[in-house]
Amino acid sequence: MDALLKEKIIGQGMSPGPVEEQINNFKNGFPFLTITAPATPVDGIKVMTEEELNHFVETYPMNAASIDVVKFVPASGAASRMFKDLFAFLDGDGDLSKSAFVQKFIDKIEKFAFYDDLNAVLENKGTSISDCLDRKDYKEIVASLLLDDGLGYGNLPKGLLKFHSYPDARRTPAYEHLVEGMQYAVGHGNTVQIHFTVSPEHEIKFKEEVNGIIAQLESLTGLKFKVTYSEQKRATNTIAVTMENEPFLEEDGTLLFRPAGHGALLENLNDISADLIFIKNIDNVVPDRLKPETKKYKMAIGGLLLEIQAKVFAALEELNREFSQDTVDQAQQVFTEDLGAKLPEGFADKTMVEKANFLKSKLNRPIRVCGMVKNTGEPGGGPFWILEDDGSQSLQILETAQIDLEDPESKKHMMASTHFNPVDLVCGTKDYKGKDFDLLEYRDMKTGFITEKSKSGRDLKALELPGLWNGSMSGWNTLFVEVPLITFNPVKTVNDLLRDEHQ
């Protein structure tokens, strides 16, 4: 790296070492992972029996009551992508017949939870939704929803949009996550802890929304709420490059750094000290009538993690006490049967001390249980068995970009995959001595995503860090559990709110 570039990087408050590594990643790309098989209900995905579900629904609340439980909700993304078709309509000639999406939005306008708010905005302008419909002035309706002189939904985060209608209220996703948190994230001290990652420009509005709801929920339930916030750290931004892999310079000569995707939130997760951390995206919420199934399976994956973790901790404590045939056998059983991991070939030929050291290293890691739903064509990372450098096999969530589709074997495994992860995770981030793991030590920096973007009319390449539930958790112990599709109801476009699940 030349001195001038280094000086620019330091001058913009970034570190030259990681930036040099990022530029090399642009030049060399990321290696594909070696898939040995898709994870399926036959091998790698646990399908719980009714008896197991009932067991965890019974035992989980008792176990959670004595520990710190946090619900971690990535919520910093703007909602602008939800309204892509509506923005395009605003830029067009207002002909409704040219867009089936906008036609549906207008036809079903009264079914949206934000209908009353939108109508109030229009009434302040001396009109109403019904007047606009009569005049076929659809642009006025759309503009009043999206733009800042109206509801400003086009510039708000998803967490602050009205999603669901109730007889006595209209709820945002932030509201729904608080209600959902009461159902499975009640921990020590009868406290519901929820952590939102937010953009700095939206934090005040988030706090205004949440603080009013908390007072009401605490009064109704007797529970305590502890809601915290963090921003994606600027230091996790990655450098952008030209199509020739040279640093992209802005018009003023400064280097362009961009947010590095949800993998950057590993730093935020690493700052949270809790015994159990649930992770769920901000837009994956449902009305109260559909929450029982979510509650049941959240308890199930949380209860499973606590049960398996207790066995892992016991095995590690025994190994820490002494290396013996009994302690090694106990650790091996936990690794292969409880965690379901696969030992490397030739493991049986190792000495007892070599086995003990291997197992201790493998067991003493963060642990996660990931809900998996049957693949219905929705986007999402898939569950696979991956060959590790030490010859063992681990369960990983992979995006398509991490799979070599030119390799017939890898492509065959991808095509045989039956499930995907809807960002439904519960994590154990403390070791057997009660100390927080440094999660940054368990990510795979050889994974990441390179995408093509543009800025000021110029093409560029952007780099995302290892995804939060992909490469960022590569070194964790992982279990996959099948969960029902009804627990996955994301809102990617505004018209998704018209689905029965959100009505």
Side-chain angles (χ1 to χ4, degrees):
M1 178 180 292
D2 66 55
L4 183 60
L5 177 57
K6 190 172 182 179
E7 187 179 323
K8 276 182 178 287
I9 293 167
I10 295 171
Q12 290 183 225
M14 306 299 279
S15 177
V19 172
E20 186 169 29
E21 187 178 344
Q22 291 160 20
I23 293 172
N24 287 334
N25 286 333
F26 280 117
K27 292 176 178 176
N28 303 322
F30 292 102
F32 296 113
L33 296 181
T34 305
I35 303 173
T36 59
T40 66
V42 175
D43 182 22
I45 299 177
K46 179 179 179 62
V47 181
M48 289 192 181
T49 64
E50 199 62 33
E51 186 180 352
E52 287 173 316
L53 278 170
N54 292 336
H55 164 72
F56 290 126
V57 168
E58 244 180 74
T59 60
Y60 169 76
M62 294 182 287
N63 293 328
S66 60
I67 62 175
D68 282 326
V69 181
V70 172
K71 187 179 182 195
F72 182 91
V73 184
S76 51
S80 50
R81 279 181 293 180
M82 269 181 68
F83 303 111
K84 183 181 72 170
D85 291 272
L86 296 188
F87 275 116
F89 177 75
L90 267 189
D91 290 338
D93 58 12
D95 184 351
L96 205 58
S97 65
K98 292 180 180 177
S99 171
F101 183 95
V102 183
Q103 178 81 61
K104 182 177 182 180
F105 171 80
I106 293 294
D107 288 347
K108 306 286 185 181
I109 188 78
E110 77 285 351
K111 290 185 174 293
F112 291 102
F114 51 73
Y115 178 89
D116 290 341
D117 289 351
L118 179 57
N119 198 51
V121 164
L122 285 162
E123 285 179 345
N124 285 337
K125 295 179 178 181
T127 183
S128 67
I129 291 177
S130 60
D131 287 344
C132 291
L133 291 176
D134 289 342
R135 298 195 315 271
K136 298 184 178 180
D137 188 358
Y138 309 119
K139 274 195 171 188
E140 180 63 34
I141 295 174
V142 174
S144 296
L145 174 71
L146 299 182
L147 304 183
D148 287 340
D149 63 351
L151 287 182
Y153 269 29
N155 292 315
L156 286 177
K158 284 185 184 179
L160 298 180
L161 310 184
K162 298 284 178 66
F163 265 30
H164 300 142
S165 296
Y166 293 84
D168 60 343
R170 304 291 182 267
R171 290 188 193 167
T172 62
Y175 194 142
E176 296 288 21
H177 274 285
L178 293 173
V179 174
E180 195 182 284
M182 295 191 304
Q183 303 193 354
Y184 59 80
V186 182
H188 177 69
N190 224 22
T191 301
V192 181
Q193 297 189 63
I194 300 186
H195 183 89
F196 293 105
T197 65
V198 298
S199 298
E201 65 269 24
H202 298 137
E203 186 169 341
I204 291 174
K205 287 183 178 178
F206 249 100
K207 287 180 176 177
E208 288 172 353
E209 165 78 1
V210 167
N211 289 345
I213 299 165
I214 286 175
Q216 179 189 358
L217 294 180
E218 286 185 335
S219 174
L220 285 172
T221 64
L223 294 170
K224 299 172 191 168
F225 278 82
K226 181 182 177 183
V227 179
T228 54
Y229 305 86
S230 64
E231 301 168 10
Q232 188 166 309
K233 298 181 181 179
R234 183 177 174 276
T236 64
N237 289 357
T238 54
I239 194 167
V241 298
T242 65
M243 304 309 287
E244 291 74 38
N245 300 317
E246 295 298 325
F248 187 98
L249 295 177
E250 300 264 41
E251 290 180 7
D252 62 1
T254 58
L255 299 166
L256 175 62
F257 289 90
R258 304 179 80 261
H262 60 71
L265 296 180
L266 183 68
E267 299 256 7
N268 305 62
L269 186 65
N270 202 34
D271 289 339
I272 293 176
S273 182
D275 299 292
L276 203 65
I277 304 173
F278 289 93
I279 301 179
K280 191 177 184 187
N281 274 345
I282 187 68
D283 65 340
N284 185 16
V285 284
V286 289
D288 287 350
R289 64 185 173 84
L290 295 178
K291 285 189 175 76
E293 200 75 353
T294 293
K295 175 184 177 181
K296 178 165 69 173
Y297 277 89
K298 280 290 194 293
M299 286 182 168
I301 64 174
L304 177 64
L305 187 145
L306 292 174
E307 208 165 270
I308 298 294
Q309 189 183 59
K311 294 179 180 180
V312 170
F313 286 177
L316 285 167
E317 283 164 1
E318 287 300 302
L319 280 177
N320 203 43
R321 184 176 57 82
E322 67 165 349
F323 286 178
S324 68
Q325 193 61 53
D326 284 344
T327 62
V328 168
D329 287 347
Q330 178 188 356
Q332 183 172 333
Q333 181 177 348
V334 170
F335 185 65
T336 58
E337 294 182 23
D338 295 304
L339 287 173
K342 298 180 180 180
L343 294 165
E345 288 184 20
F347 182 80
D349 300 328
K350 293 180 181 292
T351 67
M352 189 178 68
V353 172
E354 287 173 334
K355 289 179 180 178
N357 283 325
F358 175 88
L359 290 166
K360 190 173 181 180
S361 166
K362 287 290 190 180
L363 291 177
N364 194 27
R365 295 169 179 234
I367 183 172
R368 61 178 176 162
V369 178
C370 309
M372 291 287 160
V373 296
K374 289 179 180 175
N375 198 334
T376 57
E378 296 273 3
F384 294 92
W385 284 103
I386 298 302
L387 183 66
E388 301 287 355
D389 291 341
D390 61 15
S392 64
Q393 293 182 48
S394 68
L395 289 168
Q396 302 286 343
I397 299 169
L398 302 191
E399 301 291 342
T400 305
Q402 296 173 279
I403 302 170
D404 183 3
L405 297 179
E406 298 297 316
D407 173 50
E409 195 71 9
S410 294
K411 187 172 182 179
K412 181 185 80 172
H413 292 321
M414 192 193 83
M415 299 304 291
S417 181
T418 57
H419 289 65
F420 74 97
N421 174 248
V423 190
D424 185 2
L425 297 86
V426 60
C427 309
T429 56
K430 290 190 174 183
D431 67 16
Y432 69 106
K433 295 180 179 179
K435 182 183 174 187
D436 292 318
F437 284 108
D438 180 0
L439 303 181
L440 304 183
E441 293 181 2
Y442 298 91
R443 59 183 170 174
D444 180 5
M445 292 305 291
K446 297 191 300 293
T447 64
F449 307 100
I450 296 171
T451 55
E452 293 185 9
K453 307 281 184 183
S454 65
K455 179 79 187 291
S456 304
R458 296 160 57 204
D459 292 335
L460 60 84
K461 291 184 189 177
L463 177 69
E464 290 191 14
L465 291 174
L468 184 56
W469 37 88
N470 310 116
S472 281
M473 294 180 173
S474 177
W476 294 39
N477 284 318
T478 297
L479 294 103
F480 293 150
V481 173
E482 184 176 271
V483 297
L485 192 58
I486 193 61
T487 63
F488 178 57
N489 292 284
V491 176
K492 300 306 179 190
T493 75
V494 64
N495 281 357
D496 287 341
L497 291 171
L498 296 172
R499 291 179 181 177
D500 289 342
E501 292 85 359
H502 292 287
Q503 288 292 304

